[in-house]
Amino acid sequence: MVDRPESPADETQWRAAGDRIQTLLDSCATSGPAAHDRAQQLVREVAGLYGAGLQRIMAQAGPQLAERLATDDLVASLLLVHGLHPHDVRRRVGDALYRVRPYLGSHGGDVELVEVAGGTARLRFQGSCKSCPSSAVTLELAVQDAIRAAAPEIIDIEVVTAEHPDVIPAQSLLAHLHPDGGTEWHPVPELADLAPGEVAGFLVADATVLACRVDGQLLAYRDRCPVCDDTLAGAQLHRELLQCPRCGTEFDVTQAGAGPGCHLEPLPLLTRDGALSVALPRAMLGVLA
């Protein structure tokens, strides 16, 4: 696996460039259809020019340079737009899963890419993830972002089990493509300062995230007890068991927060572009407290 090159400091700006371009195009529509059509044509011409330039660069780049370009988030996204990415879809999906494996491993599981057929990727969970009651949450929050960015041509994801495949439709899995769903990644470098066995709450985008460190692993959860529906503020950690200070229920944080007939809600905690980040579902941002 080739090391991913460092991203520029203004990475957040280019990640939102597509939205800004669309906003500008929409504003042109207020000047009439002709102005809107000219603006769209301008974007197509500029995109075509950059695409032609990228094509020449990739044609002259050696294998090592091409590999580094393909693992840079910004360059890779442009290569995908112009159909110039040197890796096939299976390789890109595999690389995306490789990047989320640390999070899955922190919950005692792993994921295997079974196959990519057409616009469908079939995955198989291993370890505790395959039977964990929050495996769907783990998939949607941790895997969707990585696969969407690496392989936008993937439409459906099937989670294959020993009994039967559980198909998660694209409109659910890729809900964050729509304005009323999906996740937002937020940098949380302060979580790295947690000592072994320590548990604490952190305010992230007006939402409280409960984080702890167990056996060298950082874990993050929604600050809400599923039994008493109250905050977990003041919770104590006894080895891998987190005890709610209000109802006394214990949850195994190393097994995706499993408790007696219920479980905590895990939040993906990954290092993205060199920064420790947590994913918060947009639908939860108004209720996490």
Side-chain angles (χ1 to χ4, degrees):
M1 183 63 59
V2 175
D3 292 336
R4 294 160 65 82
E6 295 183 0
S7 298
D10 59 351
E11 168 204 344
T12 303
Q13 182 176 0
W14 68 254
R15 283 185 180 276
D19 292 336
R20 293 198 304 274
I21 291 173
Q22 187 59 53
T23 299
L24 291 171
L25 287 174
D26 292 342
S27 67
C28 290
T30 61
S31 300
H36 189 230
D37 290 343
R38 286 195 296 270
Q40 288 186 317
Q41 180 62 31
L42 174 61
V43 171
R44 286 193 292 267
E45 292 291 341
V46 172
L49 177 63
Y50 279 100
L54 280 173
Q55 186 174 22
R56 293 193 179 188
I57 291 173
M58 295 303 293
Q60 298 180 42
Q64 187 174 5
L65 176 57
E67 187 70 13
R68 286 190 60 80
L69 292 173
T71 54
D72 179 275
D73 284 343
L74 174 56
V75 178
S77 66
L78 295 176
L79 293 176
L80 285 171
V81 168
H82 296 285
L84 298 172
H85 202 290
H87 299 162
D88 61 24
V89 62
R90 182 180 178 87
R91 164 71 185 276
R92 285 183 275 120
V93 172
D95 287 349
L97 296 179
Y98 176 86
R99 292 194 290 273
V100 300
R101 277 201 171 90
Y103 170 71
L104 298 178
S106 71
H107 291 283
D110 197 359
V111 63
E112 173 192 359
L113 175 59
V114 177
E115 68 172 344
V116 174
T120 300
R122 293 184 175 87
L123 312 177
R124 179 184 292 114
F125 280 104
Q126 300 170 338
S128 61
C129 274
K130 63 184 179 182
S131 58
C132 172
S134 62
S135 61
V137 175
T138 300
L139 175 68
E140 187 163 349
L141 295 184
V143 177
Q144 68 167 349
D145 183 77
I147 290 183
R148 177 185 66 90
E153 60 266 58
I154 293 297
I155 300 173
D156 290 320
I157 291 181
E158 295 183 7
V159 181
V160 180
T161 66
E163 299 175 355
H164 58 80
D166 180 17
V167 180
I168 300 178
Q171 57 266 35
S172 171
L173 183 68
L174 304 181
H176 66 303
L177 293 177
H178 305 288
D180 58 345
T183 62
E184 292 181 0
W185 288 92
H186 298 271
V188 285
E190 61 273 21
L191 268 64
D193 296 330
L194 282 173
E198 184 180 5
V199 56
F202 296 85
L203 188 63
V204 183
D206 296 325
T208 303
V209 173
L210 190 77
C212 59
R213 186 186 292 275
V214 178
D215 295 331
Q217 298 176 340
L218 278 173
L219 307 168
Y221 290 92
R222 177 187 179 187
D223 179 27
R224 187 67 58 184
C225 174
V227 176
C228 63
D229 195 32
D230 206 341
T231 176
L232 290 164
Q236 297 294 317
L237 190 64
H238 306 283
R239 294 183 63 84
E240 70 277 4
L241 296 179
L242 182 78
Q243 185 176 48
C244 175
R246 285 151 187 84
C247 66
T249 305
E250 292 184 328
F251 303 93
D252 189 338
V253 295
T254 64
Q255 298 297 321
C262 58
H263 60 90
L264 299 177
E265 190 164 347
L267 299 173
L269 190 62
L270 304 172
T271 298
R272 304 178 78 245
D273 304 309
L276 185 63
S277 303
V278 65
L280 300 180
R282 293 194 186 105
M284 291 169 50
L285 286 176
V287 297
L288 272 168

